[in-house]
Amino acid sequence: MTVVRPVALAFAALFVAAGASAQSATPTPEIAGFIVTYAPGTAEAANANIAARRLSDASRQVARSGLMAKRGPSVGLGYQRRLSVGGDVLRATRLLALDEAAAARAALAAQPGVARVEYDYVLQANLRPNDTRYAEQWAMTDADAGLRAEAAWDLSTGTGVIIGVLDTGIARHTDLDANVVPGYDFITSVTTAGDGNGRDADASDPGDFANGRNSSWHGTHVAGIAAARGNNAAGIAGLAFSAKVMPVRVLGRGGGTTSDIADAIVWASGGAVAGVPTLSAANAADVLNLSLGGPGTCTSALQSAIASAASRGVPVVVAAGNDARDAGAYTPANCPGVITVAAVGANSARASFSNFGAVVDVAAPGVSILSTANAGTQVPGAENFLAYSGTSMAAPYVSATLALVQARRTALRLSPLTVADQEALLKRSTYAAAAGCSGCGAGLLSAQAAVQAAGGASTTPTTPTNPTTPTTPTTPTTPTSPGTTFTQTFLNLTASTGTQMRTSLNVPAGARDLRIETSGGTGNADLFVGQGTAPTTAQATCKANAAGNAGLCAFATPLAGTYHVLINATAAFSGMTLKISYVQGGSTTPATFANDTDVAIRDNATATSAIAVSGRAATLSAPVTINFALKHPASGELKVELVMPDGLVLLLHNRAGGATPNLAGRVSLQAPGRAANGTWTLRVTDQVTGNTGLIDRWSLAF
């Protein structure tokens, strides 16, 4: 089982001393056991009791074999439980080194009916503590890297939204208690829990001290960043200070396992987990924050849990990690469907410790962030405030922003956004880092822009004075098939100084590349666009107000709904053109894409086979089924990966050892919000010298 630790403390709850190098030696994963999945149709897959008996016997055989004792004392392995997302958990009696775990994994994979064996990684908190206490919360208002919080608060403070904080639990704090709703403790190991029992309804933090390290109170710090009380003449203000926090304890002494975290994601988002009371829709979290992680691949258990949350409209926000490395090598930052957050400092540059890369979606402040904490070195003591640094601190700013967005839409009686739409809105609402921030995704988080985009401004649009009516537009093209472009053009627009023109259009779900642009003529016209609500010259989703008539508001993945257009005559203009266009979204009817061309798998080399997908909806919503057939005399030598159109790499089959010929696989992938159209690549690597084979065929269905 994978043990996960809070990301505000650095992966594996790492505290980096002052003056330490930002990048350490290549981290190796800690492994607590295994998640075994039986093939569909087997008795073990259908009946957890049968699986428990089979795996208990297999565990004893593996333990007696000595395969897991290469780096330390002998180790036991035992059956624990079936996960809510499928798969059965086996727990080792101590953490395993990678070579120990690999040998045991191969033995388990050879058991009859077993389809997949994955590591249960140990993950850690991602925070970097700092003894310096700041008198102000610079992240709220800083000109270079701030959240523009005060302008966001004019429209929303998060009322009615619940933020699930999957972390170390929570300690009592007067600046936080009133905003806390009941949660749950999902830690199954009594030793890791440190509270005398396993899973229970008490999500309080008894202290996560371990291995000579003091308790971090990481979950309390993260919760305060998101939703500490505001306007109460004391302490700090959380970004969504009218929202509620649901503490879900998944990290304890030494971290937490991916299997526990997967169950917690399902439960907190309103799903069912055996042995735990299911939350009503009203009491479930609306957004989940995971400031935790560690090196490793995204397990199918985590993928399924994240997809389960997304199916209920609940986004999962995760910290990128604190090793100054590519976040694509860290989980759950590399899981499909999550919103991965890097950290920046007050100068807007990426923090020296922050992970980066293609899987990062946005960046937010994460250096010297003041929040609620506790003075106890082991068990809870007096409450206090401390400044921490880490991607764990950046992630709750994103979670809180989503809370502000959802509360704003509720107040305006607008329908909830899908998880994909929430991610797209966040990315559209970012701004560029003045100091540059490579590997930081779409840019720096702006709570103000996100809330404005959620439903328009709070000010009432001014009534145009002396408005002029645009000429009759050209007859718009009507999209009839995926990929068709809708276009509507207004020609020869003319207006006197101070007058305004308005129009609007409805954009259907699945549309892409919405462009609203002005051009030509003479004078000075400014363009303002509002999504959902009419814009003003002071408040708009997009502004294009440079000198002259040239203006463009572009939305790569526009939200479905009404877009309102305002043209303001800063100076008189004439002969100008307004053009509105978007590309109709692709089909969502299931289709299969296949490649039957044989590709040679050379000895100790990598082979690739590509499938070009087009004509689908811009982003994935339904599961993708991948089927592949490989011919090879020793399939245990092969690693099989899928490269998605946006570059995300997913492990479909890992080298397991053994000389079983040929390999056929069927994998169901949940990746809501990821790009659907483009080139999908199957990548097969022969990792042992002596054999060759070929990719016989493979296919995608969605």
Side-chain angles (χ1 to χ4, degrees):
M1 292 191 323
T2 302
V3 177
V4 182
R5 299 177 171 77
V7 170
L9 294 171
F11 286 73
L14 224 53
F15 290 81
V16 179
S21 170
Q23 187 179 55
S24 59
T26 302
T28 57
E30 292 180 323
I31 298 166
F34 306 92
I35 301 173
V36 180
T37 303
Y38 280 97
T42 60
E44 293 85 354
N47 189 313
N49 292 327
I50 296 176
R53 290 196 297 271
R54 299 282 191 274
L55 290 174
S56 294
D57 291 342
S59 297
R60 285 192 291 271
Q61 294 172 14
V62 170
R64 286 197 296 266
S65 71
L67 292 173
M68 298 184 294
K70 296 182 178 182
R71 298 292 184 91
S74 60
V75 56
L77 185 67
Y79 183 86
Q80 189 179 64
R81 72 184 190 283
R82 174 154 290 184
L83 286 171
S84 59
V85 293
D88 295 274
V89 179
L90 304 182
R91 174 66 61 83
T93 53
R94 65 167 170 81
L95 296 181
L96 302 174
L98 188 58
D99 56 348
E100 295 176 315
R105 178 183 183 182
L108 290 168
Q111 296 294 313
V114 171
R116 181 173 57 250
V117 180
E118 297 175 296
Y119 298 134
D120 199 359
Y121 295 110
V122 175
L123 305 186
Q124 311 285 344
N126 282 327
L127 120 88
R128 298 164 64 96
N130 188 320
D131 291 340
T132 302
R133 176 169 178 154
Y134 282 76
E136 299 178 352
Q137 294 172 268
W138 68 266
M140 299 298 186
T141 57
D142 183 80
D144 292 327
L147 302 163
R148 286 55 170 153
E150 293 176 0
W153 290 334
D154 289 340
L155 301 177
S156 175
T157 58
T159 301
V161 177
I162 298 174
I163 303 171
V165 177
L166 279 63
D167 215 291
T168 63
I170 200 163
R172 297 296 300 271
H173 200 291
T174 55
D175 208 22
L176 192 55
D177 289 349
N179 282 352
V180 177
V181 299
Y184 211 85
D185 180 355
F186 269 85
I187 300 174
T188 52
S189 166
V190 175
T191 302
T192 301
D195 59 0
N197 53 35
R199 288 187 177 178
D200 57 37
D202 182 5
S204 61
D205 187 349
D208 62 346
F209 64 94
N211 304 318
R213 176 175 56 79
N214 290 339
S215 292
S216 65
W217 314 111
H218 185 270
T220 304
H221 198 274
V222 169
I225 293 171
R229 298 170 61 202
N231 286 334
N232 63 334
I236 64 166
L239 179 57
F241 58 76
S242 294
K244 301 297 184 184
V245 167
M246 176 195 295
V248 184
R249 190 167 181 246
V250 296
L251 302 175
R253 296 173 185 174
T257 64
T258 48
S259 53
D260 283 347
I261 292 166
D263 276 348
I265 290 171
V266 172
W267 177 83
S269 60
V273 174
V276 183
T278 302
L279 294 169
S280 67
N283 292 325
D286 301 291
V287 56
L288 301 181
N289 188 92
L290 277 67
S291 288
L292 49 82
T297 57
C298 182
T299 66
S300 59
L302 274 179
Q303 287 185 33
S304 297
I306 292 162
S308 174
S311 71
R312 290 182 286 278
V314 181
V316 178
V317 179
V318 305
N322 300 336
D323 286 334
R325 295 182 178 277
D326 190 334
Y330 290 74
T331 190
N334 56 11
C335 287
V338 302
I339 299 172
T340 300
V341 187
V344 297
N347 64 350
S348 81
R350 175 164 48 85
S352 61
F353 55 79
S354 178
N355 284 356
F356 52 84
V359 302
V360 172
D361 295 298
V362 295
V367 177
S368 296
I369 304 300
L370 186 68
S371 187
T372 47
N374 194 279
T377 57
Q378 292 189 343
V379 298
E383 66 178 49
N384 65 1
F385 296 91
L386 293 174
Y388 286 161
S389 298
T391 53
S392 278
M393 284 55 261
Y397 281 133
V398 174
S399 299
T401 296
L402 290 176
L404 298 178
V405 165
Q406 294 183 47
R408 173 66 174 161
R409 290 186 66 82
T410 299
L412 294 173
R413 298 184 179 179
L414 297 174
S415 60
L417 297 176
T418 65
V419 169
D421 284 343
Q422 290 181 62
E423 180 177 346
L425 182 149
L426 279 178
K427 290 179 176 179
R428 285 202 311 272
S429 304
T430 58
Y431 63 97
C437 189
S438 62
C440 289
L444 273 59
L445 176 68
S446 170
Q448 173 191 6
V451 174
Q452 290 174 346
S458 60
T459 53
T460 303
T462 56
T463 302
T465 57
N466 189 26
T468 54
T469 303
T471 57
T472 302
T474 59
T475 301
T477 59
T478 302
T480 58
S481 61
T484 302
T485 300
F486 167 94
T487 304
Q488 189 171 33
T489 306
F490 297 82
L491 302 171
N492 299 318
L493 300 181
T494 300
S496 58
T497 302
T499 59
Q500 296 180 338
M501 296 178 174
R502 294 181 183 271
T503 188
S504 63
L505 77 155
N506 290 316
V507 176
R512 55 185 171 84
D513 298 329
L514 171 64
R515 293 173 62 88
I516 303 170
E517 52 191 319
T518 54
S519 62
T522 60
N524 189 359
D526 292 338
L527 174 65
F528 303 86
V529 176
Q531 190 277 322
T533 300
T536 69
T537 56
Q539 299 280 6
T541 304
C542 173
K543 301 178 182 180
N545 52 2
N549 289 344
L552 171 65
C553 284
F555 305 85
T557 54
L559 302 175
T562 302
Y563 284 74
H564 302 266
V565 180
L566 164 64
I567 299 173
N568 183 67
T570 305
F573 64 83
S574 63
M576 189 188 74
T577 297
L578 168 65
K579 181 180 179 181
I580 303 171
S581 64
Y582 63 81
V583 179
Q584 177 72 10
S587 172
T588 58
T589 302
T592 299
F593 304 84
N595 187 337
D596 295 329
T597 303
D598 291 350
V599 177
I601 304 172
R602 302 191 184 280
D603 190 24
N604 209 24
T606 297
T608 60
S609 176
I611 293 176
V613 174
S614 61
R616 309 301 293 163
T619 58
L620 296 171
S621 57
V624 180
T625 301
I626 304 101
N627 288 284
F628 59 89
L630 312 177
K631 293 183 178 180
H632 195 280
S635 63
E637 300 177 359
L638 303 179
K639 179 173 74 172
V640 184
E641 299 170 299
L642 178 71
V643 184
M644 296 180 65
D646 59 3
L648 180 67
V649 179
L650 300 174
L651 181 67
L652 303 183
H653 172 82
N654 206 0
R655 172 188 169 192
T660 303
N662 303 329
L663 177 64
R666 179 184 179 89
V667 178
S668 180
L669 164 68
Q670 298 274 5
R674 294 284 180 180
N677 296 308
T679 300
W680 296 68
T681 303
L682 188 73
R683 188 164 69 191
V684 181
T685 303
D686 183 332
Q687 297 185 306
V688 178
T689 302
N691 291 300
T692 62
L694 58 84
I695 301 174
D696 185 29
R697 63 187 183 277
W698 74 288
S699 65
L700 302 163
F702 63 94

